[in-house]
Amino acid sequence: MRIALYGLPCAGKTTILSSLNNVRVMNGSEELNKMSGGTFKTSTEEEKNNYRIKYIEFLMSLTDDLILSDGHYSFLENVVFTEQDAQAYDVFIYLFCSAETLLHRYACSDKNKKYAELSITRIEQWQNFEIERLRYECHRNNKDFYAVNGENITAEDFAQFLEKINGGYSSYSIAEAIVNRIIESYPDPCTMCLVDGDKTLIIQDSFRVCSNGYKTTIFDGNFYTGYQSLMFAEEEKKIEYDYKLLDTIEINYQVYDSIRNNPYFVISAGITELWTRLARIHNFKNIIASPLISADTKYYIVKLLQNKGYIIKAYGDSKNDLYMLQAANEGYLCTAERLSRSLVGANMSNLHLIYDKSLVVLNERFATELLEEIAICKSNSGINGNRLAQAHYSLGQKIGGELNKTIPSNDAAVLVLERGGRFFGDGVYMTFGGKFYPHNPSEEELPTIQESTVVIVDSVINTGRSLLKVIEKLKATNQNVEIIIVANVIQEKALPLLQDYKVYAIRVSSNAFKGMNQATQKGNTGPDTADRLFNLIKTQ
């Protein structure tokens, strides 16, 4: 078995290699230097690549039972990983190290001092790029990928992990065994629903509920590879569970009603005994639960089933489900009350969202905090211009923060309806993120929007009819687009018209009037919000 140990310069690969016994250890840098006659550093990129290929050919010729070689995926923008690398190794291990530690080591290293000028952010980007690309290469080639924290793992722990791998531990093999169980139950290819358990099929996390809120630090690096799964499987054996608390667990019917009459399997990284008991309580069928089920195991389950002709609908809520959701024919991300912190910064494009679509009114939740700004925004405040704009901006920031709790922003468009929605929309954008699109429906064509979620922002929604016209145009180009509506004020009468969409508002009002360029409300007309914002109200 050939295992590759990758990581950034100064991550600690050499230290790990030098501590190992009973393993054929190969130092890639030293071997490349020997092959080049000591001229590797000064060789051209083409020459270096040829030496790397020769080194891989040499590794392939070795017959030792267990070979461990270090390597590099890239040097900043220069990717040195080759297809030969991808095929040569059976397992890839990535040695993670915090950017702060790496920067300190670079400053003290003659060999790698050139990296000491990098920022913490740039080092983090470099390392995250390598981890995701190596994981992709492993997924492509059905290889096991593990990430370990080099600052926390001891030489003894690393050696024991190698023994586990050499003894047959494999995320891919676990996936193969699960797929065989699924095919036994459903031998003919069909549309198969693969459902995560905790916080997907059920609302709560059964582990947290029954362990009295036990917190583990094993997943703090946000890797969710088979190494973390193996460590957690060992840790949780020492925990005592209160099984009576399973009676407090609630089913997520938004998910369960979608799958219960279709072929489905629950694929959970939860605790086996907890899920065995939950299956009896709620009459769930086809439960496979084990802490050893990693994010990569879930990915391979989808891939292997698809290779046999199954169509996969996948449901999940966290980083441990992300690759499964992305690989599925249809992926459904359950955000419930809050988007999982493990997904911050992750690519969630083209996933369908499952979340509570009930109306959110911030004035009902934070009335005291918003009191002053709401008073400024009201049509009878007499406050216009920059003070009003600042209040709109501040309220937009608050509602953007609420959006961030449940709606992924990395594949979202913020469509701000001009002119009245401008400053409010700016505030939403500054705390939510996404891609910003200003749009004046009365003067211009709708911009081309590629994002799968569109957050439509307006200051005031009166009847809702003009908003539905915008939505109709969006759906004409993407029928599956997810629509979120955000307003500073929405009229009560507009709510039934928008009941099919998630609506966030600062407040709901029953005071309806037509906006005009006037200072005060008179009958069914009142001061236009846009004119107030831009200080264009005529003095009277």
Side-chain angles (χ1 to χ4, degrees), residues 285-303:
K285 62 181 181 179
N286 300 332
I287 301 285
I288 300 177
S290 167
L292 294 179
I293 296 176
S294 69
D296 304 297
T297 298
K298 291 191 176 190
Y299 167 84
Y300 285 129
I301 292 169
V302 172
K303 183 178 181 181

Side-chain angles (χ1 to χ4, degrees), residues 473-526:
K473 291 179 180 178
L474 287 168
K475 287 184 173 290
T477 57
N478 179 6
Q479 186 61 37
N480 296 318
V481 65
E482 189 74 28
I483 301 293
I484 313 290
I485 297 169
V486 175
N488 188 350
V489 183
I490 186 167
Q491 299 300 329
E492 281 181 337
K493 293 180 179 179
L495 291 174
L497 203 61
L498 305 174
Q499 62 183 348
D500 292 336
Y501 306 102
K502 180 72 172 182
V503 176
Y504 291 82
I506 297 297
R507 61 189 179 95
V508 176
S509 174
S510 58
N511 181 24
F513 59 81
K514 182 179 180 181
M516 304 287 287
N517 193 308
Q518 59 191 55
T520 58
Q521 185 173 344
K522 298 176 181 178
N524 63 351
T525 64

Side-chain angles (χ1 to χ4, degrees), residues 256-287:
Y256 191 45
D257 288 345
S258 299
I259 66 164
R260 64 196 306 172
N261 296 320
N262 300 296
Y264 77 82
F265 262 82
V266 177
I267 310 295
S268 171
I271 309 306
T272 307
E273 179 61 22
L274 293 180
W275 274 96
T276 300
R277 292 171 181 248
L278 278 169
R280 288 199 296 266
I281 292 170
H282 295 292
N283 198 29
F284 293 145
K285 62 181 181 179
N286 300 332
I287 301 285

